[in-house]
Amino acid sequence: KAGVTQTPRYLIKTRGQQVTLSCSPISGHRSVSWYQQTPGQGLQFLFEYFSETQRNKGNFPGRFSGRQFSNSRSEMNVSTLELGDSALYLCASSFDEGADTQYFGPGTRLTVL
Amino acid sequence: LAKTTQPISMDSYEGQEVNITCSHNNIATNDYITWYQQFPSQGPRFIIQGYKTKVTNEVASLFIPADRKSSTLSLPRVSLSDTAVYYCLVGDLLEYQLIWGAGTKLIIKP
């Protein structure tokens, strides 16, 4: 069974731009969660989607948004990029909602210049 | 929300058993304990999860005392490839209250 895939793997943007990251969960998994990982803050939870509905949200500004499609694939969007948004963005899927065993993708490395 | 405390780093040698202890004094009744492993530039990988007593799988064991205020991840006969950051998480699985700490950087030496 294929693992969680994330595209693109690397991205370079400039301040003020917006970016969309994509995540394809493991086949059969219905929950997708997004995390931001930085050296200073560690892993921080952004949001979780289950059955196309946002179930939980972390403490991030409204510039960070996401959605989930009927095939469980998910996208995350960051608008008006700031330098501090440079990070590794990780997507994790699980069979059910909540924080049961999560399977992480390799991440998207976003650099904001 | 339960918070965890882990050692920032640990060193060990190939072939040794490594025990990483995590403190979670404020663990709630519905909270589970989960450990993940992360290599550089990769997403975390699930290792083991438990609620109480002892859980064992093919890669690790998790020991949880009766008061559940701490837990110990045990890695038998480590190898160089076990060098990674190990995260201890405590939270209510249904309410999605997991908080990721800084983790323990484990370095295995030959």
Side-chain angles (χ1 to χ4, degrees), chain A residues 54-73:
Chain A
Q54 187 180 91
R55 298 293 183 144
N56 288 284
K57 189 177 189 303
N59 195 24
F60 277 80
R63 299 185 297 107
F64 292 82
S65 63
R67 60 177 175 170
Q68 186 181 34
F69 302 96
S70 58
N71 61 359
S72 294
R73 191 177 69 84

Side-chain angles (χ1 to χ4, degrees), chain A residues 9 31 33 35 37 41-45 48 56 88 90 97-107 109, chain B residues 34 36 38-46 49 87 89 91-102:
Chain A
R9 291 293 312 278
S31 172
S33 302
Y35 293 84
Q37 186 172 32
Q41 298 295 322
L43 256 158
Q44 293 186 284
F45 170 68
E48 180 206 9
N56 288 284
L88 180 66
L90 292 161
E97 65 179 314
D100 200 355
T101 305
Q102 296 180 77
Y103 297 85
F104 284 80
R109 173 73 63 185
Chain B
T34 311
Y36 284 84
Q38 187 177 25
F39 298 110
S41 299
Q42 293 186 26
R45 183 176 73 101
F46 172 85
Q49 184 179 79
Y87 293 94
L89 282 78
D92 185 327
L93 302 185
L94 293 179
E95 295 298 321
Y96 213 103
Q97 298 291 340
L98 292 183
I99 297 176
W100 293 70

Side-chain angles (χ1 to χ4, degrees), chain A residues 59-100:
Chain A
N59 195 24
F60 277 80
R63 299 185 297 107
F64 292 82
S65 63
R67 60 177 175 170
Q68 186 181 34
F69 302 96
S70 58
N71 61 359
S72 294
R73 191 177 69 84
S74 177
E75 287 183 348
M76 189 192 89
N77 184 275
V78 187
S79 62
T80 319
L81 284 167
E82 301 177 359
L83 295 178
D85 296 333
S86 293
L88 180 66
Y89 289 88
L90 292 161
C91 164
S93 78
S94 57
F95 178 74
D96 212 340
E97 65 179 314
D100 200 355

